[in-house]
Amino acid sequence: MITERIRYAPLRDKVVSAEAAAAHIRDGMTIGMSGFTRAGEAKAVPMALAARAREAHARGEPLSICLITGASLGNDLDKQLAEAHVLSRRIPFQSDPALRRAINAGEVMFVDQHLSETVELLRTRQIGPVDVAVIEAVAITEQGGIVPTTSVGNSASFAILAEKVIVEINLSQPTLLEGLHDIYIPTRRPIRHPIPIVAPENRVGLPFIPVDPEKIAAVVVTTKLDSSANVEPPDDDTRAIAGHLIELLKHEVAVGRLSTQLQPLQAGIGTTANAVLHGLIDSPFHNLTMYSEVLQDSTFDLFDAGRLDFASGSSITLSRPKYEAVLPELARYKSRLVLRPQEISNHPEIIRRLGLIAINTALEFDLYGNINSTHVGGTHMMNGIGGSGDFARNAFLSVFITRSVAKEGRISAVVPMVSHVDHTEHDVDIVVTEQGLADLRGLAPRERAALIIRNCAHPDYRDALADYVARATPRGGQTPHLIEEALGWHAALRETGTMRRA
Amino acid sequence: MITERIRYAPLRDKVVSAEAAAAHIRDGMTIGMSGFTRAGEAKAVPMALAARAREAHARGEPLSICLITGASLGNDLDKQLAEAHVLSRRIPFQSDPALRRAINAGEVMFVDQHLSETVELLRTRQIGPVDVAVIEAVAITEQGGIVPTTSVGNSASFAILAEKVIVEINLSQPTLLEGLHDIYIPTRRPIRHPIPIVAPENRVGLPFIPVDPEKIAAVVVTTKLDSSANVEPPDDDTRAIAGHLIELLKHEVAVGRLSTQLQPLQAGIGTTANAVLHGLIDSPFHNLTMYSEVLQDSTFDLFDAGRLDFASGSSITLSRPKYEAVLPELARYKSRLVLRPQEISNHPEIIRRLGLIAINTALEFDLYGNINSTHVGGTHMMNGIGGSGDFARNAFLSVFITRSVAKEGRISAVVPMVSHVDHTEHDVDIVVTEQGLADLRGLAPRERAALIIRNCAHPDYRDALADYVARATPRGGQTPHLIEEALGWHAALRETGTMRRA
């Protein structure tokens, strides 16, 4: 078994315990770890590192690192690492409540980055360098190449750029995953060539990460499964959001701006985006393709419904039942799937070229179409911007979705001014809530406000929003505001627990 | 003379007065006009349109259009059109005080767009269609191709997509301009090919705009010069900004992240960016290249100083003395210059590939590195986002510059929270004022704040900014704020005329 998984024989001698491998990680280092949206993270070495950090700290010895990943880690690893106080800095995305608390307390310096950009910054040495890369793999090839598991993320560039590499061979990850990946690294400047992808199904790289096997300092064998996705099933609100969006897409087909194949789809992670894709099962659209970052349950449901021809992503993150249904059957899906480095899945060049329909989730949006994706109350980090900026900026059609209210109606997702901006009005074409959809294309801010209030705001907040606009407009401006109360709803929420009394 | 300028003979019969040509423009139409940063705009037909609109309105007849351009128009055309009330909608950029007043009064709906995106939206019919294109040209070729003048802007796609085309042959624009342009239009989806530019000097298209000459409905002959640029000479502040930035670039060379050739340069329009480029004349850098949108005086000064090897742009906008020096001598510069459609000069694909050093101007920035480029007081439009977002998002190094105070110190350009966000902290690497430079790469928001206060804020405002951070931080958060007073400096400015008493 191990022979098949470690086909480059000299590396079989490098198999060690997780603890021994983790010993390569020392205080102050920058570590690049595999893992993207809770899929394909290295599992044993981070746990061993957390345990060692607890011991070291008990002895009064320092041990903390800058941890760079693809995106969020599964198996509570971000929690374990945060609670072991081994993270001094964390880049570029996370979604764990314990780590979030540490970030918001100022204990962990979190650098929230567009997911396409991290390895570009590493490659040009504007961050880093990476001392050690820790990469989960299905296998090591005859030449010493590393075959990733359920995600690629930033693993390829971590392994290529790091001084040392630790590989975790996960025996629970099916060998069928081999051949699924397409590892393409942009060529070196001064002459960097165009990335030759012109359709989601194009394969332009290698099925493994090419590294000098001499750099592989340790191999650890593991068996722990990926965490399952925590998406919830569609409900009335998410079905309504999907319905509004599908109506718009039908209209676009009717006026000839889209064919019934649409354009390649991207959907952000989470319940709402997953539900919107689900909605396409009972739509008139067919021969769909995806060029996305995370492939969720809905991707495979669309395959099974005969709606989807091909899906390109950087990770596969599934619910437990879907994981158990899909992974053993991977041979059925494999010719219609590819996993790419997140630099490529999220690359502005490809997104603009292919012309995606990008569907991402907002925390809140404002009267003028600016989006807050990350900061609760303008201050507290939720997860991070992730790939939403990569996609929204460059998409053919950039859609943001959210429920119109949260916390039993105490919070309106439509506000006079967002408390933090992740996506400016320039990058937002369509906003949708369960109430309805506002098509902002070609509209000036004053026109956007009227449409958003009428179509998207919850009825409980419509009058207050309209009153704000009515009082702000006489002051003039491209984007009317009462600057002294523009964030008053957020201040009221903070003081009183609701935006209703703003 | 006209024979040389209109080489496709059948079009010589289409020469008419500006008034007759303007008659093709009717109420409610969408018109695409040449012109980018006051260079190469059609000059006679817009004036005739403005005159006709005044007459029509005096008779109580409606006449208004949606005007789409490359960027700002010269020769007071935006003013004339605004004052004739002929603009119902204006896309995607302007810089005229009279038009600005009409926009901020809500009389003209202004759609402020990334300059790379307008023709993408037109091509996919998400805005438009363009009824009539009005394009200034040096000549019409033997095949009926249109040779632009001092800018390309969106002219190529306007002419290709419009139902009718009006060409203004400007006899004052030197015929030497022919051969300067490189007209590349992305291929049609579903298979759009990579744009084959891998270096600023690559020519990948045609030296003229290919159109069906049957579509050319009228030709007008004009002689008016382009307006001159209104940049001011470097002063102590702009020299200090240039000095701080050059120190940083020297450091980047010293640590091996840049060579002494640097990376291709982009600089926004205006006095400060022009002055920063000027600063490179007395720097250790050489064999520089530019991949920018507007080529200003500094481009030619860098050529003359032997510092610059090649410059790619979408327009040439010069002061009167520089215009008079350069235009007759164009033969000397021509092999080192290219003018491209703004879709290509500003294309995310190329900007990311080439790895630009992008230098753009901020109106204000905040403690966490978010940038306001457009909205005075959060409400009133200045010019528009222009290409700054195209460049900042995709650059190797994204730099924003501004003086630390305005209006005799009554306004601080460094504020607790910007009143409008055009560029989020994710897209900003370096901020510079005459006070100093903050290198934000790899830093979390809390770290950014300390650096920005220390290095960039004006001494008069440092204590107040530090006090804000000191009071906000105990509340926690990735990005500490006192949400109820985050925009208090702007509110104080509005009420009292100064931020000093905030």
Side-chain angles (χ1 to χ4, degrees):
Chain A
M1 185 100 185
I2 280 295
T3 321
E4 282 164 38
R5 296 276 194 155
I6 310 178
R7 303 203 292 271
Y8 181 75
L11 286 177
R12 291 173 202 152
D13 299 334
K14 297 265 181 90
V15 174
V16 295
S17 68
E19 291 70 25
H24 290 284
I25 300 173
R26 293 193 307 275
D27 183 52
M29 279 185 166
T30 294
I31 309 298
M33 288 190 189
S34 68
F36 190 97
T37 59
R38 301 155 58 88
E41 76 283 351
K43 295 168 177 75
V45 172
M47 284 299 283
L49 174 67
R52 200 177 108 224
R54 276 187 219 98
E55 292 164 18
H57 298 156
R59 290 193 303 272
E61 293 165 18
L63 177 54
S64 71
I65 63 167
C66 167
L67 174 60
I68 313 181
T69 59
S72 47
L73 301 181
N75 280 300
D76 280 344
L77 284 173
D78 269 324
K79 174 180 193 292
Q80 300 289 338
L81 292 165
E83 291 180 350
H85 303 289
V86 67
L87 302 179
S88 61
R89 190 172 297 272
R90 183 74 177 83
I91 304 173
F93 187 84
Q94 57 75 40
S95 66
D96 179 79
L99 176 52
R100 190 180 293 152
R101 272 193 299 278
I103 287 167
N104 286 320
E107 294 162 19
V108 176
M109 293 294 103
F110 177 51
V111 184
D112 181 25
Q113 279 172 350
H114 299 299
L115 294 188
S116 74
E117 289 189 357
T118 305
V119 298
E120 185 85 326
L121 292 168
L122 282 171
R123 186 181 297 132
T124 54
R125 296 192 285 146
Q126 297 187 80
I127 60 172
V130 176
D131 296 294
V132 180
V134 190
I135 311 294
E136 185 176 81
V138 168
I140 295 173
T141 68
E142 290 75 2
Q143 299 79 25
I146 300 167
V147 181
T149 61
T150 41
S151 71
V152 179
N154 288 323
S155 297
S157 287
F158 289 158
I160 290 167
L161 296 170
E163 184 144 337
K164 283 184 190 176
V165 179
I166 299 169
V167 177
E168 286 195 7
I169 298 286
N170 187 335
L171 301 178
S172 297
Q173 296 278 22
T175 52
L176 264 172
L177 287 166
E178 190 167 348
L180 196 63
H181 314 93
D182 185 55
I183 309 298
Y184 178 90
I185 306 288
T187 58
R188 288 264 167 186
R189 296 191 183 112
I191 301 297
R192 180 183 285 186
H193 292 288
I195 302 168
I197 296 170
V198 299
E201 64 270 23
N202 291 164
R203 288 182 166 274
V204 297
L206 296 169
F208 56 82
I209 301 168
V211 289
D212 175 2
E214 290 290 310
K215 283 209 310 192
I216 299 180
V219 178
V220 176
V221 178
T222 72
T223 56
K224 199 180 256 184
L225 293 175
D226 280 347
S227 301
S228 50
N230 38 20
V231 287
E232 287 168 37
D235 60 22
D236 286 349
D237 283 352
T238 61
R239 268 190 290 267
I241 290 170
H244 300 311
L245 186 55
I246 286 167
E247 280 311 304
L248 173 91
L249 295 174
K250 283 183 190 168
H251 171 77
E252 295 295 296
V253 172
V255 299
R257 283 195 288 254
L258 285 173
S259 76
T260 51
Q261 260 198 284
L262 303 180
Q263 294 278 124
L265 299 163
Q266 176 265 338
I269 196 165
T271 299
T272 316
N274 190 57
V276 167
L277 285 192
H278 247 275
L280 294 172
I281 291 175
D282 298 315
S283 77
F285 313 120
H286 52 78
N287 297 104
L288 301 172
T289 58
M290 293 187 71
Y291 194 85
S292 196
E293 48 181 33
V294 52
L295 305 179
Q296 302 184 81
D297 286 15
S298 50
T299 298
F300 294 89
D301 293 331
L302 284 164
F303 276 136
D304 292 346
R307 292 279 169 195
L308 186 65
D309 282 357
F310 198 90
S312 166
S314 191
S315 74
I316 299 174
T317 302
L318 302 175
S319 68
R320 184 60 58 204
K322 190 55 74 181
Y323 186 92
E324 286 169 3
V326 164
L327 271 272
E329 294 290 311
L330 207 56
R332 281 209 294 127
Y333 298 103
K334 205 166 160 182
S335 65
R336 292 177 288 168
L337 281 177
V338 63
L339 294 184
R340 306 181 189 279
Q342 70 197 66
E343 180 182 20
I344 305 299
S345 64
N346 289 32
H347 204 292
E349 172 174 342
I350 311 301
I351 296 165
R352 182 73 70 104
R353 183 181 301 148
L354 298 185
L356 304 193
I357 297 172
I359 304 162
N360 290 288
T361 306
L363 274 183
E364 61 178 2
F365 60 88
D366 70 23
L367 292 170
Y368 303 109
N370 300 286
I371 305 283
N372 175 6
S373 301
T374 56
H375 280 67
V376 176
T379 54
H380 282 62
M381 175 55 59
M382 178 62 82
N383 301 331
I385 193 167
S388 57
D390 293 319
F391 290 102
R393 170 67 63 90
N394 296 294
F396 169 90
L397 199 64
S398 171
V399 181
F400 280 90
I401 56 179
T402 181
R403 295 169 205 262
S404 67
V405 290
K407 306 282 178 197
E408 295 85 45
R410 298 194 302 278
I411 298 177
S412 174
V414 186
V415 291
M417 178 189 271
V418 286
S419 57
H420 179 91
V421 178
D422 292 292
H423 310 288
T424 72
E425 53 130 339
H426 312 288
D427 296 334
V428 181
D429 296 318
I430 309 284
V431 286
V432 197
T433 70
E434 81 289 348
Q435 299 293 320
L437 175 150
D439 181 349
L440 308 178
R441 290 175 293 177
L443 299 187
R446 288 173 183 228
E447 299 169 302
R448 292 176 161 220
L451 204 59
I452 286 172
I453 294 172
R454 189 165 67 238
N455 293 6
C456 299
H458 191 277
D460 289 359
Y461 289 96
R462 260 178 223 161
D463 289 348
L465 289 165
D467 173 66
Y468 180 88
V469 171
R471 290 182 297 121
T473 303
R475 289 195 191 169
Q478 162 85 348
T479 305
H481 271 300
L482 304 165
I483 203 73
E484 70 282 7
E485 59 176 271
L487 298 173
W489 293 29
H490 300 88
L493 175 66
R494 189 180 170 275
E495 302 246 319
T496 69
T498 176
M499 288 181 174
R500 288 188 195 280
R501 271 161 285 173
Chain B
M1 185 97 182
I2 280 294
T3 321
E4 282 164 36
R5 297 278 194 155
I6 309 178
R7 302 202 294 269
Y8 181 76
L11 286 177
R12 291 175 202 151
D13 298 335
K14 298 266 181 89
V15 174
V16 295
S17 68
E19 291 68 25
H24 290 283
I25 300 174
R26 294 194 306 275
D27 183 51
M29 280 186 165
T30 295
I31 309 298
M33 287 190 190
S34 67
F36 190 97
T37 58
R38 303 154 58 87
E41 76 282 349
K43 294 168 178 74
V45 172
M47 284 300 283
L49 174 67
R52 198 176 110 225
R54 275 188 222 99
E55 291 164 19
H57 297 157
R59 291 193 302 272
E61 293 166 18
L63 177 54
S64 70
I65 62 166
C66 167
L67 174 60
I68 314 182
T69 58
S72 47
L73 301 181
N75 280 302
D76 279 344
L77 284 172
D78 269 324
K79 174 180 193 290
Q80 300 289 340
L81 293 165
E83 289 179 352
H85 303 288
V86 67
L87 302 179
S88 61
R89 192 172 296 273
R90 183 74 177 84
I91 304 173
F93 186 84
Q94 56 75 42
S95 65
D96 179 80
L99 176 52
R100 189 181 294 152
R101 273 194 298 278
I103 288 168
N104 286 319
E107 293 162 20
V108 176
M109 294 293 105
F110 177 53
V111 184
D112 180 25
Q113 278 172 350
H114 299 299
L115 294 188
S116 74
E117 290 188 358
T118 304
V119 298
E120 184 85 329
L121 293 167
L122 282 172
R123 186 181 296 133
T124 55
R125 296 193 284 147
Q126 298 187 79
I127 60 172
V130 176
D131 296 294
V132 180
V134 189
I135 311 294
E136 183 177 83
V138 168
I140 295 173
T141 68
E142 289 75 2
Q143 298 79 25
I146 300 167
V147 181
T149 61
T150 41
S151 71
V152 179
N154 287 323
S155 297
S157 287
F158 288 158
I160 290 167
L161 295 170
E163 183 145 337
K164 283 184 190 177
V165 180
I166 299 169
V167 178
E168 286 195 7
I169 297 286
N170 187 333
L171 302 179
S172 297
Q173 295 277 21
T175 52
L176 264 172
L177 287 165
E178 190 166 349
L180 196 63
H181 314 93
D182 185 55
I183 309 298
Y184 178 90
I185 306 288
T187 58
R188 288 263 169 188
R189 295 189 183 114
I191 301 295
R192 180 183 286 188
H193 293 287
I195 303 168
I197 295 171
V198 298
E201 64 270 24
N202 292 164
R203 289 184 164 273
V204 298
L206 296 169
F208 56 83
I209 301 168
V211 289
D212 175 2
E214 291 291 311
K215 283 208 311 189
I216 298 180
V219 178
V220 176
V221 178
T222 71
T223 55
K224 199 179 257 186
L225 293 176
D226 280 347
S227 301
S228 49
N230 38 20
V231 288
E232 287 167 36
D235 60 21
D236 286 349
D237 282 352
T238 62
R239 268 189 291 266
I241 291 170
H244 300 312
L245 186 55
I246 286 168
E247 282 309 303
L248 174 92
L249 295 174
K250 284 183 191 170
H251 171 77
E252 296 294 296
V253 172
V255 299
R257 283 195 288 255
L258 286 173
S259 75
T260 50
Q261 258 199 286
L262 303 180
Q263 294 278 125
L265 298 163
Q266 177 264 338
I269 195 165
T271 299
T272 317
N274 189 58
V276 166
L277 285 192
H278 247 275
L280 292 172
I281 291 175
D282 298 315
S283 77
F285 313 122
H286 52 78
N287 297 106
L288 300 172
T289 58
M290 293 187 71
Y291 194 86
S292 196
E293 49 182 31
V294 51
L295 305 179
Q296 303 185 79
D297 285 14
S298 49
T299 298
F300 294 89
D301 292 329
L302 284 164
F303 276 137
D304 292 345
R307 293 281 169 192
L308 186 64
D309 282 357
F310 197 90
S312 166
S314 192
S315 74
I316 298 175
T317 301
L318 302 175
S319 67
R320 184 59 58 204
K322 190 56 71 177
Y323 185 92
E324 287 169 4
V326 163
L327 270 273
E329 294 290 311
L330 207 55
R332 281 208 294 129
Y333 298 103
K334 206 165 160 184
S335 65
R336 293 176 288 169
L337 281 177
V338 63
L339 294 185
R340 307 181 188 279
Q342 69 197 67
E343 180 184 22
I344 305 299
S345 64
N346 290 31
H347 204 292
E349 172 174 341
I350 310 302
I351 296 166
R352 182 73 70 102
R353 183 181 301 149
L354 298 186
L356 304 195
I357 297 172
I359 304 162
N360 290 286
T361 305
L363 274 183
E364 61 178 1
F365 60 88
D366 71 21
L367 292 169
Y368 303 110
N370 300 285
I371 305 283
N372 176 6
S373 302
T374 56
H375 280 67
V376 176
T379 54
H380 282 61
M381 175 56 58
M382 178 63 80
N383 301 330
I385 192 167
S388 57
D390 293 320
F391 289 102
R393 171 66 63 89
N394 296 294
F396 169 89
L397 198 64
S398 171
V399 180
F400 280 90
I401 56 179
T402 181
R403 293 170 208 261
S404 68
V405 291
K407 305 282 177 197
E408 295 85 44
R410 296 195 302 278
I411 298 176
S412 174
V414 185
V415 291
M417 178 189 270
V418 286
S419 57
H420 179 90
V421 177
D422 292 291
H423 311 287
T424 72
E425 53 129 337
H426 312 288
D427 297 334
V428 181
D429 297 318
I430 309 283
V431 286
V432 197
T433 69
E434 81 289 349
Q435 299 292 320
L437 175 150
D439 181 349
L440 309 177
R441 290 174 293 177
L443 299 187
R446 289 173 183 228
E447 298 168 304
R448 291 176 162 219
L451 204 58
I452 285 172
I453 294 172
R454 190 166 64 240
N455 293 4
C456 299
H458 191 278
D460 289 359
Y461 288 96
R462 261 180 222 159
D463 288 350
L465 289 165
D467 173 67
Y468 180 88
V469 171
R471 290 182 297 120
T473 304
R475 289 195 191 170
Q478 163 84 350
T479 305
H481 271 300
L482 304 165
I483 203 73
E484 70 282 7
E485 58 176 273
L487 298 173
W489 292 28
H490 301 88
L493 175 66
R494 188 178 170 278
E495 303 247 318
T496 70
T498 175
M499 288 182 175
R500 287 188 196 279
R501 272 162 284 175

